[in-house]
Amino acid sequence: MINVSIVGAGQTKFGRHDNYDLRELFVMAAHEAIEEAGITPKDVEAAFIGNLSADQFNRQTHIAPLMADFAGMKGIPATKCEAACASSATALRAAILAIESGQHDVVMAAGVEKMTDLTTPGVIETLAMAADQIFEAQPGITFPGIFAILAVAHMAKYGTTKEQLAAVAVKNHANGVHNPLAQYQMEITLEKALSSRMVAWPLGLFDCSPITDGAAAVVLTKNKKARKFTDAPVKILASEQANDTMNLCDRTDLTSLYAARTAAYRAYKQARINPDYVDVAEVHDCFTIAEIIATEDLGFFKPGKGGAAVEEGVTQIDGEVAINTSGGLKAKGHPVGATGVAQIVELYHQLRNEAGKRQVKSPNVGLAHNVGGTGATCVIHICERW
Ligand SMILES: CC(C)(COP(=O)(O)OP(=O)(O)OC[C@H]1O[C@@H](n2cnc3c(N)ncnc32)[C@H](O)[C@@H]1OP(=O)(O)O)[C@@H](O)C(=O)NCCC(=O)NCCS
């Protein structure tokens, strides 16, 4: 059992930020979370900050003390966490463990990434560093290419269709319309998704998450102290992480992520629930196929049934299990190192019934599924309304 709650959350708008640099994005999100918790930066005792590659994107290393200093949190232990696109979920997990250990009472978990300082080829090359250099990146494969391989495998084994992939994009863009912080706040039709330019077959433009700048932060404390900060804390029931082989050629199955299944199994056990309890989930839809695989790995649907479920509307906001109410990585945007905590920010608002037009009806349990690389890392958090 975990005894940690979220008592404040903040997020910048996701998108292209030409007028703000990395530290300014971080400070905006961090200060919003701190203000929400009704504290000052000096009350934060430690910070864990997710970031994939400020060194490549912004020519800046050693970012944790830099971010903490500019946010007014000088002197505290500030630590960068890196696990590719799951970086800030590992930061959250480190923050939870820091409180559970008894070392700290008030801890910040955050994530920040500013990708648009590079051109698209530069971004793609940088992201490919999160794949196996020798067996994948150097031979020339990119992340759209890697996820295209998973899509082809899923199509071959289960008959998943391009229409089902497109249905993920249509749903997530529809949700993004109601998220003022989303990069894309526009609906798309199935036809538009299906006819978009090809990136890596079968994945077209609308099957891909975009290139994004942004930051997200949460303030955590012990359950015992949570109500001193807010009337509506959100309790963390489970925090689990698992790894898998880095490269696809060492895997026996390309239609499912072992790390996701493993972390999910442990998380449900830790939270003492099963998938039926989950009302709302933010899952890692870096590409549309990734959402379909995620909903199967998390046990919401049987293997091979995730495509049909999204097509039938089961994962819409008013469906059986609402998936990616924020717009997901597809429409909200995917500033890679910030994504894991941004998923938690969405669950925080959903579980407090303050998600506006994208609000799920009275949800009790929310789940976040954040994947690093092609599933070499997966981190799962389960939260509950309190
Ligand atoms: C798909 C991708 C290659 C497109 O990049 P690009 O070809 O350079 O596209 P541009 O930035 O020139 O944008 C061209 C247009 O497409 C839009 N666009 C770009 N990416 C988009 C996306 N993923 N979805 C929808 N629209 C997108 C832009 O807004 C722009 O629209 P406009 O002409 O109306 O202004 C790029 O977004 C990408 O690499 N995505 C994957 C990122 C990734 O791998 N993340 C890690 C996952 S593990």
Side-chain angles (χ1 to χ4, degrees):
M1 217 49 185
I2 288 181
N3 289 298
V4 176
S5 287
I6 310 165
V7 293
Q11 189 202 308
T12 65
K13 183 170 182 325
F14 280 7
R16 187 183 175 104
H17 282 289
D18 289 333
N19 297 326
Y20 297 112
D21 69 13
L22 191 74
R23 70 193 75 182
E24 289 170 320
L25 291 171
F26 174 80
V27 168
M28 284 190 269
H31 282 184
E32 190 187 342
I34 283 169
E35 274 165 34
E36 267 258 344
I39 59 174
T40 72
K42 301 217 176 323
D43 298 316
V44 177
E45 298 168 22
F48 295 89
I49 302 169
N51 174 263
L52 168 63
S53 199
D55 47 351
Q56 298 289 328
F57 290 131
N58 324 108
R59 312 230 11 106
Q60 179 69 64
T61 60
H62 206 183
I63 71 149
L66 182 71
M67 300 300 125
D69 180 22
F70 271 81
M73 303 187 294
K74 193 174 171 177
I76 64 166
T79 309
K80 173 180 159 174
C81 299
E82 192 268 306
C85 303
S87 294
S88 58
T90 64
L92 176 63
R93 191 168 146 72
I96 291 166
L97 296 176
I99 294 174
E100 288 283 84
S101 73
Q103 187 82 27
H104 299 291
D105 280 358
V106 181
V107 179
M108 174 174 287
V112 62
E113 204 83 56
K114 181 154 172 49
M115 302 169 77
T116 66
D117 287 357
L118 292 185
T119 58
T120 299
V123 170
I124 288 175
E125 194 183 344
T126 298
L127 292 173
M129 291 177 186
D132 187 314
Q133 247 333 285
I134 293 172
F135 292 104
E136 294 176 329
Q138 281 179 19
I141 199 156
T142 61
F143 268 101
I146 294 179
F147 276 88
I149 292 173
L150 302 192
V152 169
H154 209 273
M155 289 164 124
K157 184 165 177 186
Y158 297 117
T160 301
T161 63
K162 244 183 105 26
E163 285 73 13
Q164 291 172 342
L165 300 178
V168 172
V170 171
K171 169 182 69 69
N172 291 350
H173 271 270
N175 293 349
V177 169
H178 302 300
N179 183 354
L181 300 181
Q183 181 162 359
Y184 293 120
Q185 296 168 37
M186 60 174 194
E187 295 214 41
I188 56 164
T189 61
L190 197 68
E191 294 65 39
K192 182 164 176 163
L194 285 170
S195 61
S196 67
R197 72 182 141 98
M198 193 47 62
V199 175
W201 197 91
L203 306 177
L205 183 69
F206 283 100
D207 291 296
C208 304
S209 57
I211 292 165
T212 311
D213 306 330
V218 290
V219 173
L220 309 171
T221 193
K222 290 174 172 169
N223 285 349
K224 256 203 282 186
K225 294 195 169 175
R227 287 200 186 273
K228 289 189 185 156
F229 296 82
T230 172
D231 291 341
V234 167
K235 203 190 279 185
I236 295 172
L237 297 182
S239 174
E240 285 291 350
Q241 178 177 341
N243 76 331
D244 192 7
T245 69
M246 191 87 150
N247 63 67
L248 293 189
C249 62
D250 285 333
R251 298 191 192 170
T252 49
D253 183 4
L254 298 180
T255 61
S256 168
L257 302 185
Y258 167 79
R261 291 198 315 277
T262 306
Y265 172 79
R266 291 185 197 144
Y268 288 133
K269 207 166 154 194
Q270 189 175 37
R272 297 184 192 154
I273 64 166
N274 64 49
D276 293 342
Y277 284 71
V278 177
D279 303 303
V280 54
E282 287 288 299
V283 310
H284 197 91
D285 60 323
C286 52
F287 298 93
T288 49
I289 184 61
E291 176 170 313
I292 290 174
I293 291 176
T295 58
E296 297 170 5
D297 287 341
L298 292 168
F300 299 143
F301 311 113
K302 291 201 163 62
K305 302 292 181 198
V310 64
E311 219 168 26
E312 288 159 12
V314 180
T315 56
Q316 286 176 357
I317 287 173
D318 59 355
E320 235 165 73
V321 52
I323 305 285
N324 285 331
T325 54
S326 67
L329 283 53
K330 174 68 208 72
K332 181 179 57 178
H334 183 26
V336 285
T339 282
V341 167
Q343 292 178 322
I344 298 295
V345 172
E346 175 68 7
L347 295 182
Y348 177 80
H349 292 307
Q350 284 287 351
L351 294 170
R352 287 160 52 103
N353 280 307
E354 53 192 24
K357 285 189 179 162
R358 61 183 197 285
Q359 180 65 51
V360 172
K361 200 167 169 222
S362 310
N364 286 314
V365 175
L367 181 149
H369 157 280
N370 190 201
V371 171
T374 328
T377 299
C378 183
V379 189
I380 308 271
H381 286 98
I382 300 177
C383 308
E384 186 183 43
R385 181 162 75 172
W386 197 13

